[in-house]
């Protein structure tokens, strides 16, 4: 579904990512992880077409978005949905109006059909009955789910999620994790998740790529349950076993 080849990303003269290559397979949940400043958000912006790389290629559902003209880029965009970290809902619009936006933009459906589709999408994220609420009237977890409904409005083949459980309490985070897995299992949506959450990494992700600031690229790739204990790189094992690292530091002489 996604092919990244020899990607180079810079901000001005500062290199952030160099020679990054990986694939995302159909119906897979891939988590992009790593420490602060390693390039996770930069990579996401390039994957969704918000930035063009200095060199390299990104192919999404058969469309090379690094070479595409406006028309082909638009075709590629219709294949993806994006859940932004803060939800990015329009505060002056109801939840139903927010979800309806991409449907109205990219289809010729009648108002009645749009309304029916919006209700279906909101029901799929357990928000049936909240169509006429404003974002300010919802909890943070409900805002995430409403934003997820909007990201799914056009039945995208690929869904990008930026820190989907950031700022949520453990109970609501668990609900969002279950919802992500339910969507993946029920309709086979390919997902790319930017996350710091070990719960998502171990419970939700099928595979991870771990970025590292020092190498300006991928430090590790594979099944997180395997990498946790069997990665040959101690930095990778420390990332997956923070409690062990804390215990070791507490045992140091003072």
């Amino acid at each position: 579904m996604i092919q990244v080849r020899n990607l180079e990303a810079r901000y001005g003269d500062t290199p952030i990512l160099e020679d990054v290559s990986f694939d995302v397979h159909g119906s897979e949940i891939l988590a992009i992880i790593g420490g602060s400043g390693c390039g996770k958000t930069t990579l996401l912006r390039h994957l969704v077409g918000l930035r063009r790389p200095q060199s390299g290629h990104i192919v999404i559902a058969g469309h090379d978005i690094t070479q595409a003209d406006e028309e082909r880029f638009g075709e590629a965009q219709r294949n993806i949905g994006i859940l932004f970290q803060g939800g990015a809902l329009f505060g002056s619009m109801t939840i139903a109006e927010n979800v309806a936006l991409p449907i109205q933009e990219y289809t010729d459906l009648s108002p009645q059909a749009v309304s029916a589709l919006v209700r279906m999408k909101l029901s799929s994220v357990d928000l049936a009955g909240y169509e006429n609420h404003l974002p300010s009237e919802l909890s943070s977890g409900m805002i995430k789910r409403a934003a997820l409904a909007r990201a799914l409005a056009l039945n995208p083949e690929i869904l990008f999620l930026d820190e989907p459980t950031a700022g949520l309490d453990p109970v609501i985070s668990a609900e969002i994790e279950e919802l992500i897995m339910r969507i993946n299992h029920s309709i086979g949506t390919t997902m790319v998740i930017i996350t710091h959450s070990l719960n998502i990494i171990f419970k939700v992700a099928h595979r991870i790529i771990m970025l590292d600031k020092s190498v300006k690229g991928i430090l590790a790739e594979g099944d997180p349950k395997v990498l946790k204990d069997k990665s040959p790189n101690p930095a990778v094992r420390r990332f997956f076993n923070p409690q062990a690292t804390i215990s070791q530091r507490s045992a140091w002489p003072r």
Side-chain angles (χ1 to χ4, degrees), residues 86-148:
L89 298 176
F90 292 97
S92 61
M93 302 172 68
T94 67
I95 299 307
E97 290 169 339
N98 271 278
V99 176
L101 274 176
I103 305 172
Q104 294 166 336
E105 177 70 20
Y106 290 107
T107 75
D108 296 322
L109 293 176
S110 68
Q112 293 81 6
V114 171
S115 295
L117 187 54
V118 166
R119 288 194 299 271
M120 184 178 72
K121 295 301 179 183
L122 288 173
S123 178
S124 72
V125 297
D126 303 321
L127 284 178
Y130 287 90
E131 291 85 356
N132 296 318
H133 285 64
L134 294 171
S136 60
E137 298 171 328
L138 303 182
S139 68
S140 55
M142 294 169 78
I143 287 174
K144 291 272 190 179
R145 283 187 275 148
L148 183 56

Side-chain angles (χ1 to χ4, degrees), residues 181-193:
M181 290 189 293
R182 189 173 80 202
I183 292 168
N184 175 258
H185 291 162
S186 62
I187 58 178
T189 306
T190 303
M191 299 184 178
V192 177
I193 305 176

Side-chain angles (χ1 to χ4, degrees), residues 47-120:
L47 290 175
V48 301
L50 293 178
R51 292 187 64 90
R52 295 288 179 103
Q54 267 64 39
S55 63
H57 298 273
I58 300 171
V59 180
I60 299 209
H63 299 277
D64 187 342
I65 65 171
T66 58
Q67 303 291 327
D69 57 24
E70 186 174 346
E71 181 179 354
R72 294 197 175 189
F73 181 73
E75 292 175 3
Q77 290 289 89
R78 292 183 183 89
N79 286 317
I80 71 173
I82 308 170
L83 173 62
F84 296 99
Q85 183 172 338
L89 298 176
F90 292 97
S92 61
M93 302 172 68
T94 67
I95 299 307
E97 290 169 339
N98 271 278
V99 176
L101 274 176
I103 305 172
Q104 294 166 336
E105 177 70 20
Y106 290 107
T107 75
D108 296 322
L109 293 176
S110 68
Q112 293 81 6
V114 171
S115 295
L117 187 54
V118 166
R119 288 194 299 271
M120 184 178 72

